[in-house]
Amino acid sequence: MALTRRAALAVPAFAILPACAQGSALLATLRPGHPRLLTTPEQLATLPARLEAEETGRRWRAALLRDADGLLSRPVVERRFEARRPVLLPTSREILRRTEALGVAFLLTADPRYAARLAGEMRAAAAYPDWNPSHFLDVAEMTTAFALALDWCHAAWSEADRAMARDAIIAKGLRPGLDGFRGRAFWTRVTHNWALVCMGGLVCGALAVAEDAPMLAAEILTLALPAARPALASYAPDGAWDEGVAYWDYATQYAVFLLAALDTALGADQGLSALPGLAEAGQFRLHQEGPTGRVFNFADGGETVRNTPALMWLARRYQTPANAWLIGRAPAVTGTGLLWYQPGGQSPAALGLPLDARFRHVEVASLRGAWGDRAASWIAFKGGDNAANHGNLDLGTFVMEAGGERFAIDLGADDYALPGYFSTARRFTYYRNATAGQNTLLVDGVDQPVTARAAITSFRSTPGFAAAVVDLSAGYPALGTARRGIALLDRRVMVVADEVTGSAGRRLRWQMHTRATVELAGGAAVLRQGAAVLHARILEPAGATFTLDSAARPPPENPNTGVQRLAVEATGAPRIVVAFAPGEPMAEDRLAAVRRPLAEWA
């Protein structure tokens, strides 16, 4: 799940030493007994009251116990790889899901049936020949499952079952992890999701067996914590994640596994949770979700992302009730979300949170008509880094919602099993990854450079006029300069404006992908989707007209069924401005602000 490009970043090399003084000092504060991973006996004692305090907690408890009861009679998970890739994640993730359900059900009820059933699951997975160390995410997730199962069910299991789980963690999790550090495997040297998943799993595994294998546990901690720190620093300065919202979910869940395990097992997380950006991480998830509940799915992401269980831990650690509200909308939750349950979630409207947001470094901005209104207008776009892990050649791309529908869509990921999907040489030959597959400018039909980056240069949020501008010049070396602005007028009308220099003789194509039905009328268009209507109009250049074509692709790529491209062809134009008004056409007198140069939008 990682691109080979940018796999190795400026992370220090690690010396492989025996359990050093630092690791031994960490383990000196190890909490005796169990449970000690992600929760403590003291925290468990307060859990029933926390769950009973609100309807959400009561609903989650009932849902989790139903899930655990259903698992009692189900067969154990069989070792199964993805259909077309040598990846064991379907198995690892299902075992972790079952561990959370059965393990937390046991912690809640002390019913030995749950612990016994989980022991059976662990025995089956411990008998696998390995946990697929060639794709170390598989090992990390399986190690997490075994660590939590051993810790949470420790008191109910026989010594034989405890030894079984402990031996599997060591032989199939920690020692392959140590081999990865010794061989400087790429996942030991990156700052994207792989680092946090792998380090989170190894840390949980080490802390689960620390009293029985202290030297090995200390060595793992000594290696994993420095490797995790640069990845945790990737949330700086404001909580965003350049792999997109889907991988924000994945990375953040394991970041919290790591932080919470350190805190509950050792009494402190070595200051890692105080790193800049982590306290704001939930804000990125909040603002990147549109009124319909779909997220801005740039990079290899889908429009639907779960309400991450880690949000509840973030809500408690940083006193951020909007995070508890975000996850509290879910009808059910995994066991860890329930363990961390924090009453008192509040909606962004109740908290008076800003409607608009800009996230630096990742360079994403979103503008919103209102909180809590599914029909509200919402537009989001990005600059960022084309070389980001899981990234596409998509500087300037945007998504747009109005009337309860998503009108401008990001196509999201294609099939990871496509040949060379994660290689620089092949990845951008696929439509969904290339510039042609994005809602941005195409200049002479050429892709943006893989090395291009784009920063948001201005951001404004006022009741009548919200706007952001990004400098896309690095994405279009054939031009002199290129800038894109998005605006929200009167919290209703959405505008996308491009300004370029050096465009003489250049073929400029403005485009957006949509699933809507489109009626063209020269420089105007009417988009219909469900019961929603969106009126589009070309404000500049004068005389330009809309065109419409299909985004269909041949096998083996995703066919993009039902997706069209609304486009403006404007050879040599210095400026392209397109406005969208939901419900009814826009009044001319309200458009004066966006007819001004982008330099004046701020």
Side-chain angles (χ1 to χ4, degrees):
M1 279 192 195
L3 303 185
T4 54
R5 58 199 175 94
R6 289 192 69 198
L9 300 181
V11 180
F14 303 99
I16 306 301
L17 301 172
C20 67
Q22 180 185 1
S24 298
L26 288 173
L27 291 179
T29 63
L30 181 71
R31 174 183 284 271
H34 301 267
R36 62 169 177 247
L37 291 184
L38 314 187
T39 190
T40 65
E42 294 81 6
Q43 292 171 0
L44 278 176
T46 70
L47 181 58
R50 284 186 276 129
L51 295 174
E52 190 61 30
E54 295 176 338
E55 172 57 30
T56 297
R58 296 190 292 271
R59 184 176 69 247
W60 282 5
R61 184 183 190 278
L64 182 123
L65 292 178
R66 282 196 304 272
D67 187 17
D69 288 342
L71 290 170
L72 292 175
S73 58
R74 292 190 61 183
V76 297
V77 177
E78 295 182 2
R79 191 172 191 255
R80 180 173 63 85
F81 288 82
E82 289 186 6
R84 296 167 56 212
R85 293 200 305 157
V87 172
L88 194 61
L89 284 176
T91 300
S92 298
R93 288 177 176 171
E94 177 59 15
I95 290 174
L96 178 57
R97 188 193 73 78
R98 294 184 179 197
T99 295
E100 291 198 41
L102 293 163
V104 173
F106 172 71
L107 292 176
L108 278 172
T109 66
D111 187 332
R113 295 178 303 156
Y114 299 128
R117 173 64 186 81
L118 188 51
E121 198 74 64
M122 296 297 106
R123 285 194 292 271
Y128 294 170
D130 58 47
W131 293 342
N132 199 34
S134 64
H135 189 257
F136 203 79
L137 293 178
D138 309 356
V139 176
E141 296 207 26
M142 194 77 83
T143 302
T144 304
F146 268 71
L148 298 180
L150 173 61
D151 181 64
W152 294 346
C153 296
H154 198 275
W157 281 3
S158 67
E159 177 51 38
D161 282 335
R162 291 196 292 266
M164 168 273 300
R166 183 169 61 245
D167 292 348
I169 290 170
I170 292 171
K172 294 181 169 67
L174 302 186
R175 293 207 179 280
L178 202 56
D179 290 341
F181 279 107
R182 286 174 173 147
R184 299 200 75 233
F186 85 93
W187 52 265
T188 69
R189 299 175 285 115
V190 296
T191 61
H192 53 62
N193 74 89
W194 276 73
L196 293 178
V197 176
C198 295
M199 303 314 151
L202 289 172
V203 166
C204 286
L207 293 173
V209 303
E211 66 266 56
D212 299 293
M215 299 289 282
L216 177 60
E219 190 168 7
I220 290 291
L221 292 177
T222 301
L223 296 167
L225 296 187
R229 183 176 286 271
L232 290 167
S234 296
Y235 288 95
D238 44 29
W241 195 254
D242 66 4
E243 295 177 284
V245 182
Y247 282 95
W248 175 95
D249 162 67
Y250 191 32
T252 302
Q253 187 64 29
Y254 276 85
V256 167
F257 280 159
L258 184 150
L259 297 171
L262 289 172
D263 184 57
T264 55
L266 302 179
D269 62 22
Q270 310 308 305
L272 294 175
S273 66
L275 288 172
L278 284 169
E280 294 79 26
Q283 291 294 305
F284 178 69
R285 173 66 179 81
L286 175 70
H287 283 280
Q288 296 312 297
E289 181 180 307
T292 68
R294 302 178 184 94
V295 301
F296 181 13
N297 55 311
F298 65 89
D300 280 328
E303 291 181 341
T304 302
V305 175
R306 66 175 180 165
N307 295 304
T308 312
L311 284 163
M312 197 59 82
W313 186 90
L314 295 172
R316 185 170 65 183
R317 168 63 179 83
Y318 301 109
Q319 297 299 297
T320 48
N323 290 338
W325 173 85
L326 261 174
I327 185 178
R329 303 170 302 167
V333 74
T334 63
T336 50
L338 188 144
L339 272 184
W340 297 322
Y341 190 78
Q342 179 72 22
Q346 291 180 268
S347 71
L351 292 166
L353 296 184
L355 295 171
D356 312 313
R358 168 197 176 180
F359 294 92
R360 294 163 292 167
H361 175 63
V362 174
E363 303 300 340
V364 175
S366 61
L367 315 174
R368 184 183 308 264
W371 291 114
D373 179 0
R374 182 178 172 84
S377 296
W378 177 76
I379 184 169
F381 82 151
K382 72 176 291 288
D385 184 356
N386 280 347
N389 196 51
H390 285 284
N392 298 322
L393 306 182
D394 65 353
L395 305 182
T397 199
F398 68 95
V399 293
M400 178 191 303
E401 293 185 0
E405 299 288 347
R406 176 157 293 187
F407 280 98
I409 65 170
D410 188 300
L411 294 171
D414 211 319
D415 185 349
Y416 282 11
L418 286 170
Y421 189 81
F422 290 116
S423 72
T424 305
R426 294 291 301 276
R427 178 176 177 83
F428 304 113
T429 65
Y430 297 120
Y431 182 81
R432 289 185 168 215
N433 308 124
T435 304
Q438 316 304 320
N439 299 334
T440 193
L441 284 179
L442 269 174
V443 177
D444 295 332
V446 176
D447 275 334
Q448 296 173 353
V450 177
T451 56
R453 302 185 66 174
I456 294 174
T457 57
S458 68
F459 176 76
R460 174 181 178 179
S461 180
T462 61
F465 184 59
V469 176
V470 63
D471 184 349
L472 300 178
S473 300
Y476 301 101
L479 301 175
T481 61
R483 289 176 174 78
R484 165 162 283 189
I486 59 169
L488 186 59
L489 302 177
D490 298 332
R491 295 291 156 186
R492 186 180 80 89
V493 175
M494 297 164 285
V495 180
V496 180
D498 293 300
E499 287 180 357
V500 301
T501 63
S503 61
R506 299 292 182 184
R507 291 183 293 110
L508 272 61
R509 176 184 169 93
W510 181 106
Q511 66 176 27
M512 74 174 231
H513 293 75
T514 185
R515 297 187 185 96
T517 299
V518 182
E519 299 172 11
L520 300 182
V526 179
L527 289 73
R528 290 184 169 87
Q529 195 166 340
V533 178
L534 189 67
H535 295 267
R537 179 179 164 194
I538 303 171
L539 304 184
E540 299 182 50
T545 60
F546 282 119
T547 62
L548 191 67
D549 60 7
S550 172
R553 297 295 294 171
E557 293 184 58
N558 190 302
N560 300 331
T561 303
V563 179
Q564 302 181 92
R565 297 179 296 192
L566 181 66
V568 180
E569 304 282 354
T571 297
R575 187 170 160 93
I576 303 173
V577 183
V578 183
F580 299 86
E584 59 186 25
M586 60 220 73
E588 177 61 34
D589 63 348
R590 303 303 301 162
L591 298 172
V594 295
R595 291 187 181 279
R596 298 198 305 266
L598 293 180
E600 298 180 19
W601 281 24

